[in-house]
Each structure stands twice: as C-alpha cells, then as structure tokens.
Amino acid sequence: MMKIIQVSDQLEGGKVAVDILRRKLAEGAKTLGLATGSSPLTFYKELVDSDIDLSNLVSVNLDEYVGLTEDDPQSYHYFMKENLFSHKPFKHSFLPNGTSHNAEEETEAYNRILAENPVDFQILGIGTNGHIGFNEPGTSFDSQTHLVDLTPSTIEANARFFETIDQVPTQAISMGIANIMAAKSILLFAYGKSKAQAIAGTVSGPVTEELPASVLQNHADVTIIADAEALSLLNN
C-alpha cells in the first residue's frame, strides 16, 4: 500500500517524517535504514532537535561511494556523521566500506549485516531517473548489495557536491532493490519539479526495472512525503 503526504516544503516534510518515526518506534522498530543526499536533511535536523533516543537502535545505510575514505567530506560516512551520528549516536551504525580492496567481499559482508539486522524503517530519496539507493535503471528487482557503475545523469546530479565533475566517483556500493524491499516499512522523500516524472512513474506507471522506484508499488507499507512540484504530474 502506498500513502502520499503532500507537504508545503522540506521543513514540513522533516517534521512529518519524525512523527512517523515516533509511531514506528512505539510499534517496536529497532533498525533504521538511512539515506544521504539533500532530501532527508530536514528529517535528520528535526531528529537531532527532537527528544528521540537512538542509542539502543541500529542503523544501516543504503550506499557509499567507491574510493572515498570515511573522513573525506564527500563520503557518505562523513555526511552521516556531520548530520546525525555526531549529534545522536546509534548503538551500531553500518555503512558499506568504499575503500575495501575487494568489492565482492565487501558486498557479501554487507549482505550478511543486512540479514543480521533486518530493517524496520527505511528512508529513501529518489533520483530524477527513478533510482533508489544507487540502483540505476535496468537493475534487477532481485538484486542484493552490489557494485554499481553510476550513470552519467547520476554523476552529473552529484557534481554539485564536488569542485569539478571529474572528482565525482564513478562507482558506488549500494544495497540492492531486494534489500530495500525487505524493509518492513519505507518512507520516500521527493521535492521539486525535477522529481515529478520519477514520482509519477513510481506511483502510477508500470512496474518496470527501467524505473527502479516503481517496484515500491509491490510493497505493503510505503509512504511518500513530497511537495506540490514533485507531485505535479500525478493525476488526483
């Protein structure tokens, strides 16, 4: 089942998401699946400012760039530390190791971590091409954690965080679509006109590997928090 909540802006979206998280924690959620990027930022800020205690919870992140160390300001380790972990630490926080010398071993290790820590509440953003995590169009719905070659559009979208586009990593380690779908509940943020086409396809288009987020139509508990621009191509 897919529920859509329209919000006026990202600030309201963050507040609504924290209220949903409170409900999930009251229902017994222990493991949170976390995402990076601009979409969940206000959620993390509201979470940091809240009275919610995360110290008995486990977090697992969707993905990490290949080749960036944990202390690189563009790494997702660094992003999570700056925006959440240094303010509200979890009992354990897991992210893929982007500097592992053996990507295959790292993906297998991360799949074991996910098996041992089933996600109760998964946060997602969405790419303009419908990717979730770094699962680009064409990724199998059966995929587990894997090494991803990033598409030119994803590299271009992420270039704003780097001094030049040449500095943007071209690969990442990402949870697979099957890992994401294994979460008990999913919350997806989408803001702005550039996400409108992806959201329309996610909610009402055909379920196809060409639009990875469309698989969410097959999940029992998905909430989309979005502004009017991101929802603008959906028929009421």
Side-chain angles (χ1 to χ4, degrees):
M1 186 183 128
M2 205 174 265
K3 180 181 180 185
I4 298 172
I5 302 174
Q6 182 172 329
V7 293
S8 55
D9 54 23
Q10 286 187 238
L11 194 60
E12 186 188 358
K15 293 178 190 295
V16 170
V18 167
D19 288 341
I20 293 171
L21 175 61
R22 284 186 193 279
R23 281 206 308 276
K24 296 299 180 183
L25 294 175
E27 291 166 7
K30 297 287 184 203
T31 301
L32 307 188
L34 303 179
T36 52
S38 55
S39 297
L41 269 177
T42 54
F43 168 60
Y44 294 147
K45 186 176 186 314
E46 291 296 323
L47 190 49
V48 167
D49 292 342
S50 76
D51 59 357
I52 295 175
D53 181 12
L54 303 175
S55 62
N56 283 320
L57 304 180
V58 171
S59 73
V60 289
N61 260 70
L62 279 169
D63 42 31
E64 177 60 284
Y65 284 124
V66 168
L68 300 188
T69 60
E70 291 183 16
D71 56 0
D72 187 305
Q74 301 305 336
S75 75
Y76 290 161
H77 278 81
Y78 190 94
F79 176 100
M80 293 307 306
K81 189 177 167 190
E82 287 293 296
N83 291 295
L84 185 59
F85 297 160
S86 63
H87 311 283
K88 289 234 174 183
F90 286 74
K91 182 168 69 175
H92 295 294
S93 288
F94 298 103
L95 291 92
N97 177 8
T99 57
S100 170
H101 295 301
N102 189 324
E104 194 173 315
E105 274 181 18
E106 179 58 24
T107 59
E108 287 172 8
Y110 208 67
N111 279 324
R112 285 196 297 275
I113 287 168
L114 294 171
E116 291 161 7
N117 299 278
V119 173
D120 297 302
F121 186 61
Q122 176 68 55
I123 300 297
L124 294 177
I126 186 169
T128 54
N129 63 2
H131 74 240
I132 46 176
F134 272 130
N135 295 292
E136 301 283 10
T139 304
S140 168
F141 286 161
D142 296 327
S143 57
Q144 303 282 326
T145 306
H146 57 128
L147 181 67
V148 182
D149 291 320
L150 303 183
T151 64
S153 67
T154 298
I155 291 169
E156 194 176 323
N158 292 340
R160 68 188 188 277
F161 302 115
F162 294 81
E163 285 182 22
T164 70
I165 197 165
D166 296 334
Q167 293 177 341
V168 185
T170 58
Q171 290 184 311
I173 292 173
S174 177
M175 274 192 211
I177 292 174
N179 300 120
I180 292 169
M181 289 292 284
K184 284 185 189 163
S185 62
I186 293 172
L187 175 62
L188 183 145
F189 295 106
Y191 303 110
K193 194 80 174 171
S194 68
K195 303 296 174 74
Q197 198 161 357
I199 287 297
T202 296
V203 174
S204 59
V207 176
T208 168
E209 291 177 352
E210 292 313 306
L211 189 88
S214 66
V215 74
L216 298 176
Q217 293 178 41
N218 296 335
H219 196 281
D221 183 5
V222 175
T223 302
I224 295 175
I225 293 178
D227 62 8
E229 285 193 326
L231 296 173
S232 61
L233 295 181
L234 272 183
N235 298 321
N236 292 331

